[in-house]
Amino acid sequence: MAKRLLVAYALWALGGPLGLHHVYLGRDSHALLWLLTLGGFGVGWLWEFWRLPGWVARANAAPEPQPRRPEPPALSPGRFCGQLLVGIYFGLVALLGLSSLPGFPLLALPLAVGLGVHAVSSVGDQTSDLQRTLAAAVLASPVFYGRALAILPISLAASATAQRCRRYKPWGGPQQPLRARLYPLGLAYLAFTAPLAYGAFCSTAATARSMAGAVGALWDWINFFPALSSVLEPLLLLPYRSWALLAEGAGRWAGSLRDWEAAYELLRSFRTQQQRLAYQVLGLQEGASLEEIHRSYRELVKLWHPDHNRHRAEEAERRFIEVQAAYESLVQPRKAKDV
């Protein structure tokens, strides 16, 4: 039956983050990715508004066997970034739900990250070598062993391998009935959400600590970019706030809410500690005014400018960078509040 553009847009608007329009158009790999990431974290779903007409036209085209294309698809920086982000996302979900398993850092974590990378690799008419992607993830798992930061090198290795092994999908013949297509999608969604649900409801304290550690490690990294830190802070604390609203609305899980409140306070402490260190670098008392921050910054920049300290260039450069980072970490949040 021919696909209608109006129906595709209606499904995109009503259930786009769940991939309903992709199910309608027969793009099951894309539908699964959207189902597990809520429309590519919302960004991918909005971007698809402009691509729906082309997908509808392709779905209505006569199904003809495609000639075998030995050359690999063109390298896509956007797909690589998507693989990297979804790999990290799958790793965080595994960290929250499966971290109590024996051998988790060397097996379950890299497998979860590799599957996330492969999910992005299989979108559209492309795919990749699943075995090599998973092998690369497992080989990279000892880097930062036992720490939440290990997810990043694992996802990088798996994404690079998936890009290197990219290829076009073979023609799969006529499309299966809708019921047969929904069955594997439902199983995949259940396999993804079951560990997370178990961690959230049956092991809330451990889940909260794992989330705090993972977000804290990421927070430490983005502290090098104060402007980025102020933008991402609400996003990083969103899981706690969502859980708090759910628990308050249901009037239950008081112990679970206390666990998440403890994790929230731990996450907030990263920001507080960063500001305390910034005040120390600038030689100011906590709560100093914006004018005092500007004045101290100008004096210290002149004092530690590398051009004025050629006899101790290495120390001057280090101090100069510290002063700049401290200044940005104190000024940027105040600018954001004024906007």
Side-chain angles (χ1 to χ4, degrees), residues 132-167:
R132 293 186 180 182
T133 301
L134 295 180
V138 171
L139 290 175
S141 60
V143 182
F144 300 114
Y145 174 80
R147 299 175 59 186
L149 196 60
I151 298 174
L152 179 58
I154 294 174
S155 187
L156 276 172
S159 300
T161 303
Q163 282 289 316
R164 189 167 180 264
C165 301
R166 65 192 185 278
R167 63 175 184 269

Side-chain angles (χ1 to χ4, degrees), residues 1-11 24-25 52 56-57 59-60:
M1 187 173 66
K3 308 298 181 183
R4 297 181 179 275
L5 181 60
L6 184 60
V7 175
Y9 270 115
L11 291 174
Y24 174 68
L25 297 175
L52 278 176
V56 171
N60 289 329

Side-chain angles (χ1 to χ4, degrees), residues 8-20:
Y9 270 115
L11 291 174
W12 173 87
L14 297 176
L18 301 178
L20 295 185

Side-chain angles (χ1 to χ4, degrees), residues 81-226:
C81 292
Q83 290 169 338
L84 181 63
L85 291 176
V86 174
I88 293 174
Y89 170 61
F90 272 51
L92 289 174
V93 171
L95 184 66
L96 297 180
L98 303 174
S99 58
S100 60
L101 294 178
F104 168 78
L106 294 177
L107 186 59
L109 178 62
L111 291 181
V113 174
L115 289 174
V117 171
H118 188 71
V120 181
S121 303
S122 300
V123 167
D125 60 351
Q126 298 185 27
T127 187
S128 185
D129 191 316
L130 176 59
Q131 293 182 350
R132 293 186 180 182
T133 301
L134 295 180
V138 171
L139 290 175
S141 60
V143 182
F144 300 114
Y145 174 80
R147 299 175 59 186
L149 196 60
I151 298 174
L152 179 58
I154 294 174
S155 187
L156 276 172
S159 300
T161 303
Q163 282 289 316
R164 189 167 180 264
C165 301
R166 65 192 185 278
R167 63 175 184 269
Y168 288 106
K169 291 179 181 177
W171 183 67
Q175 194 175 89
Q176 293 180 331
L178 180 61
R179 182 182 301 177
R181 293 166 47 213
L182 291 178
Y183 181 70
L185 289 176
L187 287 180
Y189 182 74
L190 181 62
F192 180 84
T193 56
L196 188 59
Y198 172 81
F201 292 99
C202 299
S203 185
T204 309
T207 302
R209 287 194 298 269
S210 297
M211 177 174 286
V215 177
L218 179 60
W219 210 323
D220 281 341
W221 183 77
I222 65 173
N223 277 344
F224 288 104
F225 309 95

Side-chain angles (χ1 to χ4, degrees), residues 22-93:
H22 288 301
V23 174
Y24 174 68
L25 297 175
R27 301 171 56 86
D28 293 346
S29 298
H30 213 150
L32 177 60
L33 179 63
W34 258 217
L35 183 64
L36 300 182
T37 63
L38 291 181
F41 313 110
V43 178
W45 165 59
L46 295 175
W47 175 254
E48 288 180 335
F49 180 85
W50 316 103
R51 306 192 64 182
L52 278 176
W55 288 338
V56 171
R58 187 179 304 175
N60 289 329
E64 298 180 357
Q66 299 295 322
R68 186 175 181 180
R69 292 173 283 188
E71 74 282 356
L75 184 65
S76 172
R79 187 179 289 260
F80 177 80
C81 292
Q83 290 169 338
L84 181 63
L85 291 176
V86 174
I88 293 174
Y89 170 61
F90 272 51
L92 289 174
V93 171

